[in-house]
Amino acid sequence: LGAAAVAVYKNRRVLYPGSAPDPDFSEPLPEGSLGCPLIGNLSYFAKMGDTATGPGKFFRWRASKYSNPRIWKYSMMGKPTVVLSGMNALKQVFNDEFNGVKTGVISKGFTKLFGGDSLLFVDDAGRHKYLRRLVGSAITPEAVQAAMPMLIKSATEQLDRINVVGEPVEMEKILTSYTLDVAWRVILGLDLHQDEYQTFYDAVDDWIGGIVDPRVTMLPGMEKTKAGKALAYLVSKIERKLDSLEDNGSDGSTMSGMYFARDEEDPSKRLTRDEIISNSLLLILAGSETAASTLTVASLALGLHQDVFEKLRDEQSLMLERHPNGEMTRSMLERECPWLDVVIKETMRIKPLAAGGAIRFAQETLIVEGKQIPRGYGVVFNPYLTHARDPAVREENGMDIVEAFKPERWLNDETKPTEYMPWGIGPRFCLGYNLAQAEMKVFLALFVRKVAAYEMVAGESVEWKRLSIIPKPKDGSLIRVTSFSDGS
């Protein structure tokens, strides 16, 4: 073993390419292990998640081993990568996107699954600004307000499935159906028949399943997997819709907005078909998986904390008194529902993205937290680790949904969290933020108007799924409604 260790050390530049410190800087590399030569940390796959803590266990486990858990290194598929958390370090690095760091990919399969022409992978600052202008013009606050009737329609249809007192209901299924309805109705503007719904739902589920499965993204033959076939189905739907928009004109959908958008700086420029397809896929992921998972966790949190649920009901009762016709607009939800807002904030504080966003690569050697990140190293952020070490959150188990779910902390400047980044950071801050917020607020508002009381079937015994982009309860948040509101 000793001889092997000596051999590895002598040949480290060959066995661990690109991992050496920059000799022009005196600062040391971050703590951490690069795992097996040319392969990386196999524990990443062995510790992807567990039922006690959910996905992202590898990052929590490794961070706990180091003197500074806000900066440490590991290796994914032989690529040395630094994991950062904490808003100071994150702002320093990711606010300098396109200069100090740029996005990149470890796997071509991952790029193909996501769509290579999406905002996620563009590494040129000018091109990124151009895409954000045109894609963003389709999801402005005004565009989201125009979509409100469709959001309400989709939420109401799914809530109609919750109609029997005492019958167990898996909220994840309800909420996934809701956000996928929003995806095909609002984002894509498709005209699906009822017998097509499940085919669309299954395709999105298989596609997202491939995104979180390293076997799909890292190994060759992605096109032949379930995820690859699902991607082909979704792309075919988008392409047919684009043909329809060309023939019939605008229909008010997000994709329609992208198709007919013209650059304000040069009206002759418009998005290409590939750019529309890639960014439509990105919005489906952000608008369905993120919103569905967050709402699923919120339904669990409200079932565990009846006092919070009652305050949310009281807020909606007051809103109905002010608007007895049941009118609901985006501005009403923003202006009149502070408790609704902080329930979502607290849910996303406790259960943000399990890992982080797309990997970036250092374009120059960076000095962060007294450590060097050499040019060429991968750099990723971690929302969970950022939230978990927020000095404003004083509970010992501040990320526990049973012990520390306290939306009221957001309403007091003394207790308001200061380390918070569920929507990303820097120039790549989530472009679909307004739509996702409206999507979640509409459902929760209508949910508490209909359901007067419910309980969690599993009680306070919470287990989590091992693999998901955002943590979700293992039982899908199984609830039992004990009473409905009058008239529901």
Side-chain angles (χ1 to χ4, degrees):
L1 287 177
V6 170
V8 168
Y9 180 79
K10 288 182 176 180
N11 294 281
R12 62 191 182 281
R13 291 184 181 275
V14 175
L15 298 175
Y16 297 97
S19 65
D22 187 331
D24 292 334
F25 291 81
S26 60
E27 289 82 0
L29 291 170
E31 295 175 85
S33 166
L34 298 179
C36 296
L38 305 176
I39 297 175
N41 297 93
L42 296 179
S43 55
Y44 174 84
F45 301 99
K47 295 182 180 291
M48 292 186 75
D50 60 23
T51 58
T53 58
K57 180 181 179 181
F58 169 80
F59 296 97
R60 298 188 291 275
W61 169 68
R62 287 293 298 271
S64 68
K65 292 179 172 291
Y66 306 124
S67 60
N68 184 356
R70 295 191 182 278
I71 178 169
W72 49 275
K73 69 179 185 292
Y74 78 113
S75 174
M76 167 58 70
M77 301 301 291
K79 184 65 184 178
T81 301
V82 171
V83 179
L84 291 178
S85 59
M87 294 307 294
N88 288 337
L90 297 180
K91 288 177 181 178
Q92 176 191 340
V93 173
F94 293 97
N95 282 351
D96 195 32
E97 184 94 41
F98 308 113
N99 295 311
V101 294
K102 288 186 178 182
T103 54
V105 293
I106 293 178
S107 147
K108 290 182 179 179
F110 187 79
T111 309
K112 289 180 181 178
L113 268 182
F114 249 119
D117 291 298
S118 79
L119 282 157
L120 191 66
F121 297 115
V122 173
D123 63 4
D124 176 77
R127 186 68 180 168
H128 185 263
K129 288 180 181 177
Y130 164 77
L131 285 178
R132 276 190 78 95
R133 283 199 303 272
L134 270 70
V135 176
S137 69
I139 44 178
T140 61
E142 293 76 20
V144 173
Q145 173 52 42
M148 284 291 289
M150 199 63 75
L151 296 179
I152 293 168
K153 174 182 171 66
S154 294
T156 301
E157 287 181 0
Q158 294 304 323
L159 285 166
D160 285 345
R161 296 168 58 189
I162 306 174
N163 53 26
V164 179
V165 170
E167 181 178 282
V169 176
E170 186 179 332
M171 289 301 294
E172 183 183 354
K173 289 183 177 179
I174 298 288
L175 292 161
T176 299
S177 295
Y178 164 59
T179 56
L180 290 176
D181 282 357
V182 172
W184 67 259
R185 283 174 167 159
V186 176
I187 296 174
L188 301 183
L190 300 180
D191 184 21
L192 296 182
H193 298 292
Q194 192 165 359
D195 59 359
E196 297 179 273
Y197 292 0
Q198 195 59 50
T199 302
F200 182 83
Y201 297 166
D202 290 344
V204 175
D205 186 58
D206 289 343
W207 172 59
I208 292 174
I211 289 172
V212 300
D213 188 344
R215 294 170 300 178
V216 174
T217 57
M218 299 293 183
L219 299 177
M222 180 277 293
E223 294 83 358
K224 297 180 180 179
T225 65
K226 285 175 64 177
K229 293 174 182 178
L231 174 64
Y233 165 84
L234 293 172
V235 169
S236 71
K237 284 290 185 184
I238 295 172
E239 288 181 328
R240 284 199 290 271
K241 180 63 182 182
L242 290 174
D243 292 339
S244 173
L245 291 171
E246 177 66 27
D247 294 337
N248 303 313
S250 176
D251 65 0
S253 66
T254 303
M255 190 160 67
S256 171
M258 286 191 281
Y259 184 79
F260 292 103
R262 298 294 183 272
D263 186 22
E264 60 188 22
E265 296 184 5
D266 183 352
S268 68
K269 292 183 178 180
R270 60 185 294 186
L271 296 171
T272 67
R273 284 177 74 96
D274 285 343
E275 287 168 345
I276 294 172
I277 291 169
S278 292
N279 286 291
S280 294
L281 291 169
L282 182 61
L283 290 174
I284 290 173
L285 178 69
S288 59
E289 172 65 18
T290 301
S293 298
T294 298
L295 285 170
T296 299
V297 176
S299 70
L300 168 65
L302 293 172
L304 293 170
H305 301 273
Q306 290 296 312
D307 57 329
V308 178
F309 176 75
E310 288 300 329
K311 288 180 181 178
L312 205 52
R313 278 181 50 79
D314 291 344
E315 184 175 74
Q316 288 304 305
S317 295
L318 288 173
M319 188 172 171
L320 282 171
E321 288 178 11
R322 288 191 291 266
H323 310 283
N325 62 352
E327 181 184 9
M328 182 184 291
T329 67
R330 177 182 176 273
S331 61
M332 286 178 189
L333 292 176
E334 294 293 318
R335 186 177 61 249
E336 301 178 27
C337 303
W339 193 250
L340 177 61
D341 185 61
V342 298
V343 164
I344 292 172
K345 279 191 168 97
E346 183 70 350
T347 301
M348 299 188 82
R349 182 190 71 81
I350 287 180
K351 292 297 177 185
L353 284 169
I359 190 171
R360 275 73 156 177
F361 290 98
Q363 302 302 296
E364 57 190 27
T365 297
L366 308 172
I367 305 301
V368 182
E369 299 267 342
K371 307 291 184 182
Q372 66 161 281
I373 304 175
R375 182 177 183 273
Y377 260 59
V379 187
V380 295
F381 60 71
N382 192 288
Y384 182 96
L385 296 177
T386 298
H387 296 182
R389 288 173 174 80
D390 188 342
V393 178
R394 298 183 176 89
E395 293 88 354
E396 182 176 352
N397 297 315
M399 301 295 282
D400 186 272
I401 200 164
V402 176
E403 298 181 17
F405 183 79
K406 297 178 181 178
E408 63 271 17
R409 75 172 79 245
W410 290 91
L411 300 173
N412 186 326
D413 287 342
E414 294 183 2
T415 58
K416 185 177 180 179
T418 57
E419 301 273 313
Y420 186 68
M421 54 158 305
W423 302 98
I425 190 171
R428 296 188 187 276
F429 183 87
C430 179
L431 191 60
Y433 169 83
N434 287 316
L435 177 59
Q437 282 280 93
E439 195 175 2
M440 292 189 288
K441 288 183 177 182
V442 164
F443 188 91
L444 284 181
L446 294 176
F447 175 71
V448 300
R449 290 182 185 187
K450 174 172 183 170
V451 175
Y454 72 98
E455 60 189 14
M456 303 310 301
V457 171
E460 292 190 359
S461 177
V462 180
E463 292 189 327
W464 300 94
K465 294 185 177 182
R466 291 183 61 252
L467 296 177
S468 57
I469 295 174
I470 289 177
K472 291 182 281 191
K474 187 178 180 181
D475 67 355
S477 186
L478 201 61
I479 73 168
R480 183 182 291 111
V481 175
T482 54
S483 64
F484 291 102
S485 301
D486 293 340
S488 294

